[in-house]
Amino acid sequence: MTDYDVIVVGGGPAGSMAAYSAASKGAKTIMLEKDRDIGYPVRCGEAVSDTGLRQFVEPKPEWIAATIKKIRMRSPDNTIIDFKSLMAGYVLHRRIFDYALANRASQVGAEIQTRAYVDGLIVEDDIVKGVKYQYMGEKRTLKAKIVIAADGVESRIGRMAGIRTAIKLHDIESGYQVTVGNIDIDQEMIDFYVGKNWAPGGYLWVFPKGDRMANIGLGVVGSKAKDYNSHDLLHKFLKEHYPQAAMLTSVCGGVPVAHTLKQITGNGIMLTGDAARMVNPVSGGGIVSGMHGGKIAGEVAMEAIAVGDVSSKGLAEYPKRWRKAGGKNHEALHRISTSIKDITDDELNRIALRVSKIPREERSVLKIFTVVAKEKPKILLDVTRAFVGA
Amino acid sequence: MILVKDNRCDFCGTCVAVCPVDAIELREADISIIHDTCIDCDICIWICPIDVLSSDKGQGTSND
């Protein structure tokens, strides 16, 4: 006897998409969120592309804090490079957006429970059969045919099922971010700072949030985090650039910039979103990729239940479809991100100087790439390898 | 032994993600180290964005 067809653990965009796609195909579904609120706290830069979002939902004005039209990159010596944004993009209000996605899942029949902390799995004959959780301190169990783990960067549910999810230091960014008020920035521009002065092995972002507000944050690659503290780096930046900024929110968080896990299924279990390491390892963006992973997971879960095979083998369509949907591109991006982390400040400065000499209207990806390759031939080699799959 | 500074943690889970032996318990607003499982590799100390964790190694005062 099972209580549900599908239990989704975690109520972020990946979890809500998984719950939506399973429930809309007729699965009896429940989503468990450990915190008291869906969508809070926000540990995210909140930027998405219009086309990315539109694959899954029609963007609503109330989700959008700012519309991105321009991109600015700054080298360590503060050479400024401006681009026109090729794609329409948004900085979201994740609090509102995540809520809307969960609400959408509920409207096709998914149940949702907050303050439900999953602390164990029910495993019988080597097959995951449900979860043990605590609701407001009270121990409970729920049985299901499939558990979808969308439990974020921590990815403990997968570990409970014997999947190795622990992330290596060079594959995670240690991040700190604030939402600030009382600052004057271009509300149509996203602004990036690179180099070890601001964000060793990562980048610092200033994203507009409308009404003289901004989301400002940075990530330091884990392998350099012993010597650099992201909280201190961000406060140093704010003091130098926006001393009048008022803190409306300050949070920290980890961004997995890893290769997607080799194993994202087990018997009766599927991992998705940050928990499966689906974040774009170059940009650190995980909203759209998480939604994509969640959608596929929910669909495959229902198909496997329909044919009565929820074993890892029965769920094999999931990694297959994920790879087809962009997983292969993801692998290439991971290889590129690995070499980007090794670029020195001097190399970044030289690249920026060269790019700044290209007239703005001629700054195509190819031209910039040529410049990068001149300064850092190894990247060209890595990228070529990435695309030919060597 | 890994120590948790009182009232400093933001409960973001970054330490949980890197822990090679799953020795950190984290809830909405509660963190604890499972000392029996912990191997004192210290990587949770390095990755924490806000210096919540520390080690008592080298202090020479621990009796446990």
Side-chain angles (χ1 to χ4, degrees):
Chain A
M1 269 296 288
T2 56
D3 303 300
Y4 290 92
D5 292 319
V6 175
I7 296 171
V8 179
V9 183
S16 281
M17 278 303 296
Y20 175 85
S21 76
S24 62
K25 294 214 160 15
K28 189 168 190 272
T29 304
I30 188 168
M31 182 166 82
L32 305 175
E33 164 58 45
K34 79 175 186 327
D35 284 358
R36 72 194 78 172
D37 253 314
I38 300 284
Y40 174 85
V42 176
R43 304 189 195 275
C44 181
E46 305 181 278
V48 289
S49 73
D50 175 74
T51 43
L53 202 55
R54 233 173 249 284
Q55 292 172 265
F56 312 106
V57 283
E58 181 74 24
K60 292 226 170 75
E62 62 265 31
W63 306 343
I64 295 163
T67 301
I68 304 162
K69 295 185 178 154
K70 289 171 273 181
I71 300 168
R72 174 166 287 180
M73 308 277 293
R74 300 169 194 253
S75 69
D77 64 1
N78 211 27
T79 302
I80 289 174
I81 305 172
D82 286 331
F83 304 90
K84 247 193 212 156
S85 180
L86 294 173
M87 290 189 288
Y90 309 112
V91 181
L92 295 173
H93 290 299
R94 279 282 306 271
R95 289 170 188 234
I96 302 171
F97 176 72
D98 286 26
Y99 236 75
L101 289 187
N103 181 24
R104 179 169 168 264
S106 76
Q107 300 198 10
V108 292
E111 294 173 41
I112 302 172
Q113 178 70 66
T114 53
R115 295 199 65 179
Y117 175 73
V118 175
D119 58 1
L121 293 174
I122 302 168
V123 182
E124 292 166 9
D125 304 321
D126 205 29
I127 301 164
V128 175
K129 298 270 189 181
V131 299
K132 299 171 190 169
Y133 73 105
Q134 291 185 33
Y135 172 67
M136 296 172 67
E138 185 187 303
K139 285 181 195 300
R140 295 182 176 182
T141 58
L142 275 182
K143 290 195 133 189
K145 290 169 187 147
I146 290 180
V147 172
I148 298 179
D151 57 324
V153 67
E154 298 155 46
S155 197
R156 289 193 75 209
I157 309 300
R159 292 195 204 200
M160 292 171 191
I163 298 170
R164 291 170 60 95
T165 68
I167 198 161
K168 296 272 188 280
L169 284 177
H170 56 260
D171 275 339
I172 187 167
E173 298 272 334
S174 171
Y176 192 80
Q177 71 175 92
V178 291
T179 303
V180 295
N182 190 36
I183 69 165
D184 290 306
I185 55 164
D186 184 337
Q187 286 287 339
E188 295 185 337
M189 183 174 81
I190 53 174
D191 198 356
F192 296 91
Y193 295 72
V194 293
K196 71 170 190 302
N197 197 24
W198 304 121
Y203 64 81
L204 182 150
W205 70 83
V206 179
F207 290 173
K209 287 277 285 184
D211 201 15
R212 299 186 66 222
M213 293 188 290
N215 176 326
I216 304 179
L218 64 85
V220 174
V221 67
S223 47
K224 294 181 181 170
K226 190 180 178 184
D227 302 316
Y228 298 92
N229 174 286
S230 40
H231 166 271
D232 296 350
L233 286 169
L234 190 69
H235 280 280
K236 185 178 80 148
F237 173 82
L238 288 172
K239 207 171 149 197
E240 286 181 23
H241 289 76
Y242 301 106
Q244 80 290 6
M247 302 302 144
L248 305 178
T249 308
S250 17
V251 291
C252 55
V255 185
V257 284
H259 195 291
T260 298
L261 292 173
K262 287 217 165 62
Q263 189 187 355
I264 56 173
T265 61
N267 298 328
I269 187 165
M270 308 164 89
L271 273 55
T272 197
D274 283 20
R277 317 306 182 205
M278 288 175 170
V279 170
N280 176 324
V282 172
S283 70
I287 300 171
V288 167
S289 60
M291 290 172 77
H292 211 152
K295 178 173 186 270
I296 301 170
E299 287 165 359
V300 173
M302 199 47 204
E303 290 165 18
I305 289 167
V307 299
D309 182 4
V310 298
S311 71
S312 192
K313 211 173 156 193
L315 298 170
E317 266 298 307
Y318 174 45
K320 217 159 136 189
R321 280 185 215 170
W322 162 250
R323 222 166 280 135
K324 205 172 161 196
K328 203 163 180 207
N329 186 33
H330 174 101
E331 287 167 25
L333 288 170
H334 180 248
R335 281 181 232 178
I336 295 168
S337 81
T338 306
S339 42
I340 290 173
K341 282 173 201 147
D342 294 331
I343 297 184
T344 66
D345 279 9
D346 280 348
E347 284 165 334
L348 285 169
N349 288 335
R350 285 203 299 272
I351 290 166
L353 188 66
R354 280 175 188 262
V355 174
S356 69
K357 286 179 182 156
I358 306 171
R360 191 185 303 187
E361 56 280 7
E362 291 172 27
R363 283 175 196 163
S364 64
V365 173
L366 186 68
K367 275 217 167 127
I368 291 162
F369 189 70
T370 312
V371 166
V372 177
K374 264 186 197 145
E375 277 307 326
K376 192 84 181 157
K378 188 174 170 293
I379 287 189
L380 187 64
L381 195 70
D382 286 338
V383 172
T384 313
R385 272 205 202 110
F387 284 98
V388 301
Chain B
M1 193 166 77
I2 303 293
L3 308 170
V4 182
K5 287 191 192 96
D6 286 344
N7 304 322
R8 193 174 172 97
C9 184
D10 190 36
F11 315 106
C12 72
T14 309
C15 55
V16 178
V18 298
C19 178
V21 292
D22 201 18
I24 305 172
E25 285 274 354
L26 180 73
R27 298 179 192 205
E28 184 172 28
D30 181 32
I31 181 171
S32 55
I33 310 291
I34 308 163
H35 292 292
D36 289 346
T37 313
C38 176
I39 54 169
D40 282 295
C41 68
D42 289 355
I43 65 172
C44 56
I45 300 175
W46 308 338
I47 199 72
C48 176
I50 55 172
D51 285 343
V52 172
L53 304 165
S54 62
S55 169
D56 66 355
K57 259 187 283 185
Q59 292 184 357
T61 52
S62 174
N63 293 320
D64 45 42

